[in-house]
Amino acid sequence: MAERIIHNVQNMLRGERFEHRGEIVVIGLGRFGSALALELMRLGHSVLGIDANPGRVDEMKGELTHVAQANTTNERALKALGVHEALTVAVCIGSGIEASVLTTAILVDLEVQNIWAKAITADHGRILAKVGAHHVVYPEAEMGERVAHLVTGRLEEFVRLNPSPTEDESIEPGDEFVISQMVVPPRFAESTLGAAGIRAQFRVTVVAIRPEGGRYTYAEADTVLGGADHIVVAGHPDDVERFASAD
Ligand code: ATP
C-alpha cells in the first residue's frame, strides 16, 4: 500500500492527480498522531498518515489505509498527496513548532475545511488559532491536568468539557466545566440523592452511579448512595474537588 502511495506521489510530482476525498489526513505520526490515526481506523475511517521520518512511515505501513513520507512544510508535497482534497486534517507535530505552524498555514491556504492542530504550549495554540486552525488541542497539558486531579486520590476520572482559561482566553474561570468520577464521599454514604442536597451545597450534579462491580445507572432523587459506589459528577473543577473532599 505504501509503495502504491509513494508511486502515486511520484506520478503526481510528474503531474498526475491522486485523490483522497473522504479520507482523514493525519500529519505527524509520533506518539499522539499514530494513536489518533489508529483509533480513527478502528472507528472505521479511511486514514492517510504522513510523516517526514521514513522510519515512522515504515512502522505505520499496513496499519493505516495509506501512508506517505513527506515534509509537510512543502506545499507542493501536500498537494501531490491530495491533502487539499481532504475535508479533515489533523496536524500532530508538537515539538517542531515552526513545522507545525507552517504546515497549518499551508492547509489554511489550501482551504481545508476542518483543520485540527496539536499545541504543546498556550502560545503555540494561540499562534495555531491565529493562523487559522479550526480546532486546537493540548493533549500534554490536558493529560497533565487530568493526572494532577487523579494522583491526589479523590478522583478516579477527570474530563474537561471546555478548554481551560490558560488555553483559551475567551473562557472565563467561572465557565469551566468538567465530568468526574469518584467514590461517594463518606459524608453522603447511605443517604438518598434527594435528601443529600448536594447541588445546593456544592453546585455539582451527580449524573450517574455504579455500584462496585455493577453497571452505570442514571442518578435519580430516590437513588441511595452506597458508601463504596462510584458516582459520575459534573460541575466546575473547584466545586468537584470540594465535593470529593467532603468527609
Ligand atoms: P509525540 O506525538 O510523539 O509526542 P511530538 O509532540 O514530540 O510528538 P514531534 O516529534 O515534533 O512532536 O513530531 C511528531 C511527528 O511529526 C514526528 O514523527 C516527526 O517526524 C513528524 N514531523 C515533524 N516535522 C514534520 C514535517 N515538517 N513534516 C512531516 N512530518 C513531520
Side-chain angles (χ1 to χ4, degrees):
M1 191 65 78
E3 287 82 358
R4 209 186 88 210
I5 297 291
I6 291 160
H7 175 74
N8 277 327
V9 172
Q10 283 163 348
N11 283 343
M12 182 66 185
L13 290 169
R14 288 187 212 111
E16 292 174 32
R17 303 266 303 171
F18 180 56
E19 297 242 329
H20 274 293
R21 191 164 282 284
E23 205 160 54
I24 296 175
V25 180
V26 176
I27 294 177
L29 299 172
R31 286 158 297 192
F32 177 72
S34 54
L36 170 68
L38 290 171
E39 183 63 12
L40 287 168
M41 289 293 293
R42 205 185 61 77
L43 293 172
H45 297 281
S46 176
V47 177
L48 164 64
I50 307 174
D51 201 292
N53 180 336
R56 294 301 307 142
V57 173
D58 236 34
E59 279 171 39
M60 297 304 280
K61 230 187 241 176
E63 305 280 348
L64 308 181
T65 321
H66 299 108
V67 287
Q69 190 223 328
N71 179 352
T72 56
T73 60
N74 179 336
E75 181 170 343
R76 197 156 163 255
L78 281 183
K79 274 186 149 174
L81 289 163
V83 172
H84 57 300
E85 310 232 331
L87 291 179
T88 301
V89 179
V91 182
C92 307
I93 303 170
S95 30
I97 292 185
E98 198 179 320
S100 142
V101 172
L102 211 51
T103 298
T104 304
I106 294 171
L107 295 172
V108 172
D109 283 348
L110 293 176
E111 297 181 357
V112 173
Q113 287 172 32
N114 191 22
I115 304 170
W116 290 76
K118 160 183 150 164
I120 51 168
T121 64
D123 285 343
H124 183 192
R126 263 178 228 122
I127 296 168
L128 289 169
K130 283 228 159 72
V131 161
H134 305 105
H135 309 272
V136 178
V137 293
Y138 300 81
E140 277 94 352
E142 278 164 24
M143 187 54 77
E145 180 191 40
R146 176 170 166 258
V147 173
H149 284 275
L150 304 190
V151 293
T152 55
R154 302 276 184 177
L155 300 187
E156 300 171 324
E157 192 47 271
F158 179 94
V159 180
R160 181 177 278 284
L161 298 187
N162 54 1
S164 76
T166 51
E167 289 161 2
D168 184 339
E169 285 162 345
S170 70
I171 304 283
E172 296 288 332
D175 292 341
E176 294 176 79
F177 201 78
V178 301
I179 300 274
S180 66
Q181 180 174 290
M182 66 189 78
V183 173
V184 171
R187 191 197 302 180
F188 298 103
E190 308 315 325
S191 53
T192 62
L193 263 180
I198 291 168
R199 196 177 294 166
Q201 281 181 70
F202 293 92
R203 294 181 304 225
V204 298
T205 301
V206 179
V207 181
I209 182 161
R210 177 172 65 81
E212 191 65 44
R215 291 184 153 180
Y216 287 100
T217 52
Y218 293 111
E220 316 272 6
D222 58 358
T223 301
V224 178
L225 299 171
D229 290 353
H230 303 263
I231 48 176
V232 177
V233 179
H236 189 281
D238 295 347
D239 293 332
V240 165
E241 279 289 358
R242 205 162 50 85
F243 172 61
S245 308
D247 290 325

